[in-house]
Amino acid sequence: MTGTTPTTHPEMPGLAPGQRDPRLDFFRGLSLIMIFMNHVPGTFFENLTSRNFGLSDAAEGFVFMSGCAVALAYGPKMKNGLGVDVVRKGWGRAWQLYLVHMMTTVWAMALVAGGVLWLGADEVLLNNSFNLLWKQPVEVILGVATLGHQFGYVNILPMYAVLMLGAPFLVRLGQRSPMALLAFSVGFWILTFALSLDLPNYPQPGGWFFNPFAWQLIFTLGILTGLALREGRRFVPVKPWLVWIAAIWLVFCFAWVQDVDLKEWMNQTLNALRAQGVPGLVAGFDKTFVSMPRLTHFIALAYILSMPLGIPKFAASQAMEPVRLIGRHSLPVFATGTVIAIFAQVVKDVHPAGIEQDMLLVLGGLFAQWCLAYALEWSRQRDGRTKPPVVRETEPEVAPHRLPVAPSTSLR
């Protein structure tokens, strides 16, 4: 995970090309499940996601695990240097992400439009910047195409696409010098906040909600973890004092989120620190710039979950195969889940209903995503491409996919 001297563990064999640690798919799948739950606000299932138990949420895990996957996939291809083919593949993935984002955005607009025109779901227009589509349609169309206008709940893939443009270069630097990559990433994260760097919105003012210049730090931590995992080592060693610090911070963050009085006191404390000149990056709670409380909570959670405390065996168990299946097909599943979530929001606006409808929307939506993943897996095996081999359960750290916990609804 994050940054001390890498340590090698002889008993942990590296991953051969084509092998995957089961935790990668498990935590990515689990993250997608919670993202979907959080993207259908106002249901009982929101209370079950991890954003209720800490300061970070599924977005951090999604990006971190994406960095792990990039390192595992691209690392073996770059042993002898950065080639044109690898860069082309990374940029091709960015283009694919852009196209998927366009598809999900068009379907989101269509669903909201249908809800307004045929069902009277006017409330949906007031959320997630959809109302601007009716007020400034020409500008919004231009903004959507250029990624300057991103609707809520449909706005993480643009950031991921930008990160993929730089992924081959980050992986190569991490191979040559992990500490140099870490130093570069942390420095750029600080510079991004200090200079308020971000990509611009259009036609609205401001910048992207998921600022790729800040979120590259989490992506980079995933790359460093993946590179170490491929070689059979941990990027951050298991040290008792680190375990205690991480555990204490996680417990405190849980209390921070759950206890009303502590939450109020902490908010006042952070406000007072900022009033005294402490930068918001340290004393803030900004998701756009990945402020320190969110970042450290995610790092602590990833560090704890990366240890072999039964988690590798659980992630690799047969019972968790449906979750891993979703994780193996994360992009189509995420896109489908996004569209279903917008549909569910329209339905709930027209007919708030109760637990039965919520179960139908959320559990039905998750089942539809699993069916898609199952169909894709079946198709791949039918075409003669075998299922990716799974690594033995005691593999090194693939820091889990941190799941949500705090303000914003997951991908938003």
Side-chain angles (χ1 to χ4, degrees):
M1 258 219 26
T2 107
T4 43
T5 304
T7 50
T8 301
H9 296 270
E11 73 278 9
M12 295 180 176
L15 293 174
Q19 283 189 311
R20 320 168 59 100
D21 188 303
R23 290 171 294 178
L24 178 69
D25 293 329
F26 171 74
F27 283 112
R28 187 155 52 179
L30 186 60
S31 183
L32 289 173
I33 290 170
M34 294 198 178
I35 281 168
F36 178 73
M37 289 179 176
N38 285 323
H39 283 190
V40 186
T43 74
F44 162 78
F45 296 95
E46 276 190 300
N47 301 316
L48 304 179
T49 61
S50 60
R51 70 189 179 107
N52 298 286
F53 306 104
L55 302 180
S56 59
D57 66 26
E60 282 88 346
F62 183 88
V63 173
F64 178 84
M65 299 307 289
S66 297
C68 283
V70 164
L72 292 172
Y74 288 51
K77 299 179 176 66
M78 300 170 61
K79 286 294 185 182
N80 298 318
L82 181 63
V84 173
D85 288 344
V86 175
V87 174
R88 182 169 54 85
K89 185 173 181 179
W91 289 8
R93 179 65 168 176
W95 175 244
Q96 181 187 34
L97 292 167
Y98 172 81
L99 294 179
V100 172
H101 171 70
M102 288 295 107
M103 183 274 291
T104 56
T105 297
V106 168
W107 269 105
M109 291 190 295
L111 288 169
V112 170
V116 171
L117 292 174
W118 300 323
L119 302 176
D122 298 339
E123 182 70 24
V124 178
L125 284 178
L126 304 179
N127 303 323
N128 310 318
S129 303
F130 282 110
N131 61 329
L132 208 63
L133 181 60
W134 270 254
K135 295 178 180 178
Q136 298 177 264
V138 175
E139 291 88 345
V140 167
I141 290 173
L142 178 59
V144 166
T146 60
L147 302 181
H149 191 78
Q150 301 168 21
F151 301 109
Y153 301 106
V154 195
N155 56 357
I156 197 171
L157 291 184
M159 176 262 289
Y160 187 14
V162 172
L163 293 177
M164 283 307 303
L165 293 176
F169 307 98
L170 295 175
V171 171
R172 185 54 185 158
L173 178 57
Q175 288 179 322
R176 294 177 64 86
S177 175
M179 291 300 105
L181 175 57
L182 182 63
F184 166 79
S185 184
V186 171
F188 193 42
W189 171 65
I190 295 171
L191 186 67
T192 294
F193 178 82
L195 301 181
S196 297
L197 300 177
D198 199 353
L199 293 174
N201 284 338
Y202 179 84
Q204 291 180 308
W208 289 14
F209 180 76
F210 284 101
N211 183 347
F213 302 142
W215 281 77
Q216 56 77 28
L217 176 55
I218 295 177
F219 188 69
T220 295
L221 294 177
I223 288 175
L224 290 168
T225 297
L227 290 174
L229 174 63
R230 174 65 72 186
E231 297 176 359
R233 58 182 174 83
R234 295 181 58 95
F235 184 59
V236 175
V238 175
K239 299 287 187 181
W241 63 273
L242 280 177
V243 173
W244 276 107
I245 290 175
I248 291 171
W249 179 235
L250 290 177
V251 171
F252 180 79
C253 289
F254 172 78
W256 183 347
V257 170
Q258 291 292 320
D259 186 82
V260 176
D261 293 332
L262 179 60
K263 181 186 295 186
E264 179 64 23
W265 181 78
M266 285 302 301
N267 289 341
Q268 292 176 357
T269 300
L270 292 179
N271 289 335
L273 289 173
R274 290 195 299 273
Q276 294 297 318
V278 176
L281 191 64
V282 175
F285 198 76
D286 193 314
K287 190 169 185 177
T288 295
F289 289 95
V290 195
S291 57
M292 190 73 77
R294 295 186 67 96
L295 178 66
T296 54
H297 177 267
F298 169 74
I299 290 174
L301 184 65
Y303 182 69
I304 292 296
L305 290 178
S306 72
M307 292 187 293
L309 303 175
I311 293 171
K313 186 174 182 179
F314 179 76
S317 67
Q318 186 60 37
M320 291 299 105
E321 172 58 19
V323 179
R324 294 197 302 274
L325 183 63
I326 288 175
R328 281 200 296 274
H329 300 279
S330 57
L331 182 56
V333 167
F334 171 71
T336 302
T338 297
V339 173
I340 295 175
I342 298 297
F343 169 77
Q345 290 180 28
V346 172
V347 171
K348 285 188 65 65
D349 179 54
V350 175
H351 188 259
I355 185 65
E356 294 85 2
Q357 178 177 281
D358 289 348
M359 290 180 67
L360 179 62
L361 292 173
V362 175
L363 298 182
L366 289 173
F367 180 70
Q369 293 169 69
W370 176 83
C371 287
L372 172 64
Y374 183 88
L376 292 171
E377 189 77 5
W378 176 84
S379 177
R380 179 170 63 185
Q381 294 184 25
R382 182 180 174 84
D383 291 341
R385 292 172 288 170
T386 57
K387 186 161 97 176
V390 169
V391 144
R392 72 188 186 89
E393 299 163 356
T394 55
E395 213 57 57
E397 161 202 46
V398 150
H401 206 172
R402 183 10 197 175
L403 303 168
V405 143
S408 71
T409 55
S410 173
L411 271 208
R412 219 225 91 208

